Amino acid sequence: MPAATAAQAAEPGATAAASTSAPLALGRPRFADGALADVARTQGTAAAWRAALAQGLPAAVAAAGAATGDFAVGLTDAQGRGFAAVDRFAIQTLCWRVVDGRIHFAERADTLAALPPRADIDPQAVYDYLYFHVIPSPRTIFQGVHRLPPAHALRFENGQVSVEPYWVPHFQAPPASKADFQTLASAFRQHVQEAVAAQLDGSKPACFLSGGTDSSTVAGMIGRVAGRPAATYSIGFEAEGYDELAYARLAAQRFGTEHHEYYVTPNDLVRAIPQVAAHYDQPFGNSSVLPAYYCARMARDDGVTRLLAGDGGDELYGGNARYAKQRVFGWYDGVPAPLRRGLLEPLLQKTPLGGLPLARKGRSYVEQAQVPLPDRMQQYNLLLRLDPAQVFTLEFLARVDQADPLRQQQRVWQQAAAGPGAGPLNRMLAFDWRYTLAEADLPKVRGSTALAGVGVGFPFLDAALADFSLRLPDDYKLKGLKLRWFFKEALRGFLPDEILTKKKQGFGLPFGVWATRHPGLKAFAAGSLHSLSGRGIVRAEFVRPLLERHLPEHPGYYGEMVWVLMILEQWLQQQRTSPMPASRPATLEQEL
């Protein structure tokens, strides 16, 4: 790739750590060991982690495994041994890099990339970004710079790095017939109330309010535990099908909150996209970050210093539509094998009958049901449906392994959950704790609030609530095809019925619609994509029809690809440029 067309390493951002050799201790860990808890209380959490490491690397890993709360720690001792860990959901984040036999830790990947010798951009990470719309750990955008996955610990000794999970969710739920709903519902409500109370810090109590079940529950519980109504902050859009302020107002009215609203406009996007893209230490393509940022900024202007967020409820209690969809495909396994293999599959897949209009859905169902999880969940992956060979240049594709993202997902799927209750549903939940929460939703909220200058807490990721979810019957999470049945029934009467029955939405951004109607945003997006096509990563032959034909015809669908490409270019524009390595990068197994 020509020297002027590819990006290399970033200068550390304004929020980067000042020194990579100093101990890194972030968050609010709660140590199970009494002695470590005493040290943390009297000397600080960094001293507690040092005390654990002084007992040896196994003791430090054990301390991380027993700790709860949000934390990230990275430190070395006098012997040069290194230890690092992040909490169960990676609410806090940590990166590491080995240079000249020494290990360095930092909160941001670009901080470590700037250490000499400067780290190159990893072409495989760019491919992963277009595949996932984020760059999942342990990879980062920079070669040789790694991010520690959630619930993992790192040991560094004698120049060697080992990374392993210190905690795996252990599902051990009884059958629904043996569960006492009233007892469980009462315990759940108590756990939620205590989790919200634990996240308040004495400042003005406030939270995001999208109008969904999670944020509405947090808003209501704040009023109970704080002794005063919450200040709530909501975002609206003047675009049909995207605005749900009506539901936020229902929750605000029910709980008497001090409610605030802001309508995000296309002009807001044009102003904020470069700033938000540059704020992250690598490309981050979750478009909800923009409304989350404006929401947090509105709160900060109102004097709020800490917001509570509702993230986690769907992934712990079965609230995403894909869980029901995959259950429908799972029913195919219950069809007797002779009927499947001897009649249905040959008839629908190998005869003209499968092409008839009434039989096409049946053939599609059978074909999808035959694909195992987690592979089946990628059949609607936007990059794969558009075809990587049509998106990327041939030169770029020669430097990446297109099969690596799915192999990574398969490894995570196999390691995601344990216990007698780790069936398909709970395995999907644990899988989403990694890919949806740790890699996408939490960085979205963490990054947007940090940019706005506001702290954030996640009550639904409280350890007691997470452990409680491990003991719930499967049918309480997904009752037939009813999503998060237990969660909603346990809160019936507390939340308005309209919120309990509404379609899930959140702070979804109408970017594709606006990019076809607003001249300034349309020009900004087009300029970004044409600039990106000049870098030798994506094909100009893909960009032109994407902008001129596909986006206007299907703005909601193709707008997502325009967004992630635009963010990639905006991030790259903040970096120094130099060639990507000409050879294919090592696999993660080789790097680690």
Side-chain angles (χ1 to χ4, degrees):
M1 184 176 295
T5 62
Q8 188 193 22
E11 292 290 347
T15 60
S19 170
T20 58
S21 59
L24 183 71
L26 306 172
R28 305 189 299 178
R30 295 191 294 271
F31 294 96
D33 180 273
L36 293 179
D38 287 341
V39 173
R41 185 174 59 254
T42 57
Q43 303 177 47
T45 57
W49 288 118
R50 284 195 297 268
L53 181 58
Q55 301 174 38
L57 285 169
V61 174
T68 57
D70 60 295
F71 62 84
V73 55
L75 64 156
T76 57
D77 64 11
Q79 290 75 44
R81 297 177 304 173
F83 161 71
V86 296
D87 61 74
R88 295 180 181 184
F89 296 101
I91 297 171
Q92 301 290 340
T93 185
L94 175 141
C95 299
W96 59 274
R97 181 187 181 191
V98 176
V99 180
D100 294 333
R102 294 182 59 200
I103 193 164
H104 302 265
F105 303 108
E107 184 177 6
R108 296 177 60 97
D110 51 8
T111 303
L112 298 178
L115 295 175
R118 297 183 66 86
D120 290 325
I121 289 287
D122 184 352
Q124 186 67 51
V126 175
Y127 183 88
D128 286 2
Y129 170 74
L130 268 291
Y131 185 99
F132 294 104
H133 304 176
V134 298
I135 301 171
S137 59
R139 186 172 277 126
T140 74
I141 191 68
F142 303 104
Q143 286 191 340
V145 179
H146 306 279
R147 194 179 307 276
L148 202 56
H152 277 62
L154 174 150
R155 307 184 197 200
F156 179 73
E157 193 168 21
N158 300 320
Q160 299 297 311
V161 173
S162 63
V163 177
E164 60 186 6
Y166 64 74
W167 178 81
V168 173
H170 193 88
F171 293 90
Q172 45 187 343
S177 59
K178 296 184 178 179
D180 183 333
F181 171 81
Q182 293 299 336
T183 299
L184 289 172
S186 177
F188 170 72
R189 291 190 295 267
Q190 185 63 31
H191 281 311
V192 174
Q193 184 168 312
E194 291 172 354
V196 169
Q199 289 294 333
L200 298 177
D201 64 357
S203 63
K204 183 177 183 177
C207 66
F208 290 98
L209 182 58
S210 70
T213 52
D214 294 326
S215 62
S216 299
T217 299
V218 172
M221 288 296 180
I222 286 177
R224 283 192 174 186
V225 303
R228 57 184 286 197
T232 51
Y233 297 87
S234 301
I235 289 297
F237 310 101
E238 291 183 353
E240 184 178 354
Y242 289 88
D243 185 66
E244 58 175 352
L245 277 178
Y247 293 101
R249 291 165 185 161
L250 275 173
Q253 184 178 13
R254 166 64 67 92
F255 301 117
T257 71
E258 178 191 312
H259 189 54
H260 307 263
E261 298 175 352
Y262 181 78
Y263 272 85
V264 174
T265 69
N267 286 330
D268 288 329
L269 300 193
V270 175
R271 283 192 295 267
I273 285 171
Q275 179 186 11
V276 173
H279 173 71
Y280 281 82
D281 61 350
Q282 60 183 6
F284 182 73
N286 187 329
S287 64
S288 293
V289 69
L290 262 293
Y293 164 65
Y294 275 104
C295 202
R297 201 176 77 170
M298 174 173 51
R300 185 70 183 92
D301 291 344
D302 196 39
V304 169
T305 58
R306 182 173 176 82
L307 280 166
L308 302 194
D311 298 82
D314 283 325
E315 290 73 26
L316 268 68
Y317 293 95
N320 290 317
R322 59 183 168 273
Y323 305 145
K325 183 175 184 177
Q326 297 305 325
R327 172 168 283 185
V328 171
F329 287 123
W331 289 342
Y332 187 67
D333 293 334
V335 177
L339 181 58
R340 280 189 282 123
R341 298 171 187 162
L343 178 61
L344 291 176
E345 292 168 11
L347 194 63
L348 292 172
Q349 295 178 299
K350 299 180 180 179
T351 73
L353 177 65
L356 296 177
L358 291 177
R360 285 176 189 162
K361 287 189 176 181
R363 183 181 67 182
S364 176
Y365 171 80
V366 168
E367 289 173 348
Q368 292 184 68
Q370 288 176 301
V371 178
L373 290 170
D375 308 35
R376 189 193 304 147
M377 290 189 285
Q378 291 305 315
Q379 291 183 320
Y380 293 93
N381 182 285
L382 183 56
L383 175 63
L384 300 183
R385 290 176 77 86
L386 293 175
D387 184 2
Q390 299 301 315
V391 176
F392 294 106
T393 65
L394 293 179
E395 294 80 7
F396 178 83
L397 284 179
R399 302 176 185 180
V400 304
D401 182 352
Q402 296 182 52
D404 189 70
L406 184 56
R407 282 201 303 269
Q408 179 194 141
Q409 290 177 299
Q410 291 167 340
R411 288 194 299 270
V412 171
W413 179 264
Q414 292 302 320
Q415 302 167 359
L425 172 62
N426 285 327
R427 193 168 288 275
M428 276 192 286
L429 297 180
F431 185 81
D432 275 356
W433 296 359
R434 172 69 173 270
Y435 285 105
T436 302
L437 284 177
E439 311 290 4
D441 287 351
L442 300 188
K444 171 195 72 179
V445 181
R446 188 173 62 237
S448 61
T449 52
L451 182 58
V454 178
V456 66
F458 302 95
F460 283 114
L461 301 183
D462 180 84
L465 265 176
D467 290 344
F468 179 84
S469 76
L470 302 178
R471 302 189 297 272
L472 272 184
D474 284 19
D475 285 347
Y476 273 29
K477 298 171 183 174
L478 184 61
K479 193 176 185 67
L481 298 179
K482 294 180 180 178
L483 300 173
R484 60 191 308 173
W485 175 83
F486 171 80
F487 186 106
K488 293 179 178 180
E489 291 302 314
L491 293 170
R492 191 170 294 280
F494 179 72
L495 294 178
D497 287 345
E498 297 91 337
I499 288 176
L500 291 173
T501 58
K502 73 178 286 290
K503 183 180 179 181
K504 176 180 171 57
Q505 190 167 315
F507 288 154
L509 184 70
F511 168 75
V513 175
W514 285 349
T516 63
R517 300 175 182 174
H518 186 272
L521 185 58
K522 182 177 182 179
F524 182 86
S528 297
L529 267 62
H530 287 308
S531 177
L532 181 64
S533 70
R535 294 180 181 272
I537 299 173
V538 299
R539 293 161 51 95
E541 297 84 356
F542 170 73
V543 168
R544 284 193 297 270
L546 174 65
L547 291 170
E548 296 170 8
R549 185 172 71 253
H550 300 313
L551 180 64
E553 291 174 351
H554 303 283
Y557 184 76
Y558 289 103
E560 187 172 6
M561 179 55 69
V562 174
W563 176 272
V564 296
L565 291 171
M566 178 183 67
I567 293 298
L568 174 60
E569 172 60 22
Q570 288 298 313
W571 187 86
L572 289 172
Q573 286 184 11
Q574 310 301 317
Q575 320 305 314
R576 293 182 176 179
T577 58
S578 69
M580 289 188 194
S583 60
R584 176 177 290 185
T587 65
L588 283 178
E589 289 87 349
Q590 291 170 330
E591 289 179 349
L592 298 177

